[in-house]
């Protein structure tokens, strides 16, 4: 079952969207960081991954020109966005400010 992107990102729980590509080395390097952050902040933030190659209209809608790009939504509103790799500490700190 496909879930509408807007339904997921309009929740009151913050939703971090990871725009990535399978061929992207930095995107692959972020996978363990995202897993660790998801475990640390379990229940406080939802993390979803969007493959830009399979979801080009969505990537265009949000102006994603490079991967990885991270966009945080809360209550349907874009709170912040950041491109490139981040450490677990950096990503956790950014998210902690919003939860």
């Amino acid at each position: 079952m496909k879930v509408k992107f807007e339904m997921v990102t309009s929740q009151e729980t913050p939703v971090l969207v990871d725009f990535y590509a399978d061929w992207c080395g930095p995107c692959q390097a972020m996978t363990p960081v995202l897993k660790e952050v998801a475990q640390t902040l379990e229940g406080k933030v939802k993390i979803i991954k969007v493959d830009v190659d399979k979801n080009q209209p969505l990537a265009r809608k949000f102006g994603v020109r490079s991967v990885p790009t991270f966009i945080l939504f809360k209550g349907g509103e874009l709170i912040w966005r950041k491109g490139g790799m981040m450490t677990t500490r950096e990503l956790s700190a950014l998210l902690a400010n919003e939860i």
Side-chain angles (χ1 to χ4, degrees), residues 9-12 15 62 71-80:
T9 56
S10 64
Q11 301 172 20
E12 278 309 305
V15 178
F62 291 103
I71 302 179
L72 183 69
F73 293 89
K74 187 174 182 182
E77 292 198 28
L78 192 153
I79 305 298
W80 59 256

Side-chain angles (χ1 to χ4, degrees), residues 21-41:
D22 287 335
W23 48 262
C24 166
C27 299
Q28 293 170 4
M30 285 301 299
T31 298
V33 171
L34 291 168
K35 283 183 181 176
E36 191 173 334
V37 169
Q39 288 175 338
T40 304
L41 299 175

Side-chain angles (χ1 to χ4, degrees), residues 10-83:
S10 64
Q11 301 172 20
E12 278 309 305
T13 302
V15 178
L16 178 67
V17 181
D18 170 18
F19 286 92
Y20 78 100
D22 287 335
W23 48 262
C24 166
C27 299
Q28 293 170 4
M30 285 301 299
T31 298
V33 171
L34 291 168
K35 283 183 181 176
E36 191 173 334
V37 169
Q39 288 175 338
T40 304
L41 299 175
E42 189 173 355
K44 297 178 183 175
V45 66
K46 181 177 177 94
I47 298 175
I48 63 171
K49 296 176 76 66
V50 174
D51 185 332
V52 296
D53 292 328
K54 295 178 182 169
N55 297 284
Q56 291 178 1
L58 191 60
R60 272 195 302 275
K61 176 179 179 180
F62 291 103
V64 175
R65 295 193 193 339
S66 64
V67 288
T69 293
F70 302 95
I71 302 179
L72 183 69
F73 293 89
K74 187 174 182 182
E77 292 198 28
L78 192 153
I79 305 298
W80 59 256
R81 68 183 292 145
K82 182 164 181 1

